[in-house]
PDB file of all heavy atoms in Angstrom:
ATOM      1  N   CYS A  64     -10.496  -6.083   1.806  1.00  0.00           N
ATOM      2  CA  CYS A  64     -10.526  -7.437   2.057  1.00  0.00           C
ATOM      3  C   CYS A  64     -11.790  -8.075   1.434  1.00  0.00           C
ATOM      4  O   CYS A  64     -12.862  -7.502   1.485  1.00  0.00           O
ATOM      5  CB  CYS A  64     -10.500  -7.657   3.548  1.00  0.00           C
ATOM      6  SG  CYS A  64     -10.753  -9.476   4.024  1.00  0.00           S
ATOM      7  N   GLY A  65     -11.632  -9.217   0.752  1.00  0.00           N
ATOM      8  CA  GLY A  65     -12.757  -9.835   0.067  1.00  0.00           C
ATOM      9  C   GLY A  65     -13.747 -10.550   1.071  1.00  0.00           C
ATOM     10  O   GLY A  65     -14.841 -10.862   0.688  1.00  0.00           O
ATOM     11  N   VAL A  66     -13.353 -10.715   2.346  1.00  0.00           N
ATOM     12  CA  VAL A  66     -14.187 -11.291   3.329  1.00  0.00           C
ATOM     13  C   VAL A  66     -14.886 -10.185   4.132  1.00  0.00           C
ATOM     14  O   VAL A  66     -16.125 -10.199   4.279  1.00  0.00           O
ATOM     15  CB  VAL A  66     -13.362 -12.219   4.266  1.00  0.00           C
ATOM     16  CG1 VAL A  66     -14.313 -12.804   5.303  1.00  0.00           C
ATOM     17  CG2 VAL A  66     -12.689 -13.357   3.418  1.00  0.00           C
ATOM     18  N   CYS A  67     -14.129  -9.297   4.775  1.00  0.00           N
ATOM     19  CA  CYS A  67     -14.744  -8.352   5.683  1.00  0.00           C
ATOM     20  C   CYS A  67     -14.911  -6.984   5.062  1.00  0.00           C
ATOM     21  O   CYS A  67     -15.594  -6.113   5.622  1.00  0.00           O
ATOM     22  CB  CYS A  67     -13.947  -8.329   6.947  1.00  0.00           C
ATOM     23  SG  CYS A  67     -12.256  -7.620   6.766  1.00  0.00           S
ATOM     24  N   GLY A  68     -14.314  -6.716   3.947  1.00  0.00           N
ATOM     25  CA  GLY A  68     -14.474  -5.409   3.308  1.00  0.00           C
ATOM     26  C   GLY A  68     -13.658  -4.259   3.880  1.00  0.00           C
ATOM     27  O   GLY A  68     -13.750  -3.129   3.484  1.00  0.00           O
ATOM     28  N   GLU A  69     -12.795  -4.613   4.836  1.00  0.00           N
ATOM     29  CA  GLU A  69     -11.859  -3.632   5.486  1.00  0.00           C
ATOM     30  C   GLU A  69     -10.858  -3.266   4.511  1.00  0.00           C
ATOM     31  O   GLU A  69     -10.388  -4.102   3.669  1.00  0.00           O
ATOM     32  CB  GLU A  69     -11.247  -4.226   6.711  1.00  0.00           C
ATOM     33  CG  GLU A  69     -12.142  -4.389   7.892  1.00  0.00           C
ATOM     34  CD  GLU A  69     -12.368  -3.101   8.611  1.00  0.00           C
ATOM     35  OE1 GLU A  69     -11.404  -2.414   8.860  1.00  0.00           O
ATOM     36  OE2 GLU A  69     -13.501  -2.818   8.939  1.00  0.00           O
ATOM     37  N   LEU A  86      -6.988 -10.250   0.828  1.00  0.00           N
ATOM     38  CA  LEU A  86      -7.474 -10.413   2.121  1.00  0.00           C
ATOM     39  C   LEU A  86      -6.772  -9.525   3.026  1.00  0.00           C
ATOM     40  O   LEU A  86      -5.539  -9.241   2.809  1.00  0.00           O
ATOM     41  CB  LEU A  86      -7.273 -11.916   2.593  1.00  0.00           C
ATOM     42  CG  LEU A  86      -8.024 -12.982   1.868  1.00  0.00           C
ATOM     43  CD1 LEU A  86      -7.542 -14.330   2.200  1.00  0.00           C
ATOM     44  CD2 LEU A  86      -9.560 -12.904   2.088  1.00  0.00           C
ATOM     45  N   CYS A  87      -7.362  -9.092   4.110  1.00  0.00           N
ATOM     46  CA  CYS A  87      -6.621  -8.266   5.173  1.00  0.00           C
ATOM     47  C   CYS A  87      -5.797  -9.144   5.888  1.00  0.00           C
ATOM     48  O   CYS A  87      -5.820 -10.429   5.827  1.00  0.00           O
ATOM     49  CB  CYS A  87      -7.697  -7.500   6.057  1.00  0.00           C
ATOM     50  SG  CYS A  87      -8.636  -8.714   7.097  1.00  0.00           S
ATOM     51  N   TYR A  89      -5.702 -10.043   8.896  1.00  0.00           N
ATOM     52  CA  TYR A  89      -6.423 -11.042   9.705  1.00  0.00           C
ATOM     53  C   TYR A  89      -6.949 -12.207   8.959  1.00  0.00           C
ATOM     54  O   TYR A  89      -6.710 -13.311   9.306  1.00  0.00           O
ATOM     55  CB  TYR A  89      -7.559 -10.282  10.432  1.00  0.00           C
ATOM     56  CG  TYR A  89      -8.416 -11.206  11.280  1.00  0.00           C
ATOM     57  CD1 TYR A  89      -7.996 -11.708  12.489  1.00  0.00           C
ATOM     58  CD2 TYR A  89      -9.732 -11.612  10.757  1.00  0.00           C
ATOM     59  CE1 TYR A  89      -8.764 -12.558  13.259  1.00  0.00           C
ATOM     60  CE2 TYR A  89     -10.497 -12.479  11.514  1.00  0.00           C
ATOM     61  CZ  TYR A  89     -10.087 -12.960  12.733  1.00  0.00           C
ATOM     62  OH  TYR A  89     -10.804 -13.826  13.492  1.00  0.00           O
ATOM     63  N   HIS A  90      -7.662 -11.896   7.879  1.00  0.00           N
ATOM     64  CA  HIS A  90      -8.234 -13.025   7.048  1.00  0.00           C
ATOM     65  C   HIS A  90      -7.178 -13.828   6.324  1.00  0.00           C
ATOM     66  O   HIS A  90      -7.328 -15.001   6.044  1.00  0.00           O
ATOM     67  CB  HIS A  90      -9.363 -12.484   6.173  1.00  0.00           C
ATOM     68  CG  HIS A  90     -10.573 -12.212   6.897  1.00  0.00           C
ATOM     69  ND1 HIS A  90     -11.090 -10.943   7.112  1.00  0.00           N
ATOM     70  CD2 HIS A  90     -11.389 -13.064   7.691  1.00  0.00           C
ATOM     71  CE1 HIS A  90     -12.181 -11.076   7.903  1.00  0.00           C
ATOM     72  NE2 HIS A  90     -12.306 -12.217   8.244  1.00  0.00           N
TER      73      HIS A  90
HETATM   74 ZN1   ZN B   1     -10.723  -9.264   6.324  1.00  0.00          ZN
END
Side-chain angles (χ1 to χ4, degrees):
C64 175
V66 178
C67 64
E69 289 281 315
L86 298 170
C87 68
Y89 174 75
H90 284 113

